[in-house]
Amino acid sequence: MRPSPADALLAPIGPCIPTEQTRLLLVCAFGTPITDATGTVALVGDSHASHWRGALDVVARARGWRAVSLAHTSCPFSDAPPALPEPARPLRG
């Protein structure tokens, strides 16, 4: 398996080239370059969605897709109320 689980902990979540900066989010692209792409897919959501970028990069390259990330921390792509409570965070003093 590559990378090894120990090495994977140290690796970034996947390359992403910034294409646009808005007030709310950074739009970036990965996968197949736009000039060679046969289609485009989007990864939309919060930081939890961004964790899938490395895996989607592998699929996008294999299928010839350009991928675009539209993610913002703490901003799930849903109007549904959270089903689980947020974990308690330690207070910093």
Side-chain angles (χ1 to χ4, degrees):
M1 177 185 322
R2 286 188 301 186
S4 71
D7 289 340
L9 290 173
L10 304 174
I13 59 174
C16 204
I17 299 166
T19 60
E20 182 180 347
Q21 175 78 50
T22 70
R23 192 171 64 85
L24 298 175
L25 59 98
L26 172 66
V27 180
C28 62
F30 57 100
T32 301
I34 192 169
T35 54
D36 301 324
T38 59
T40 302
V41 295
L43 176 63
V44 180
D46 59 8
S47 58
H48 294 263
S50 293
H51 287 128
W52 289 100
R53 194 166 66 224
L56 183 56
D57 183 53
V58 172
V59 174
R61 288 177 188 275
R63 299 203 177 214
W65 298 338
R66 174 180 186 248
V68 179
S69 175
L70 303 157
H72 184 70
T73 302
S74 300
C75 188
F77 192 67
S78 174
D79 286 338
L84 300 172
E86 285 291 322
R89 300 182 194 269
L91 296 175
R92 296 187 181 182

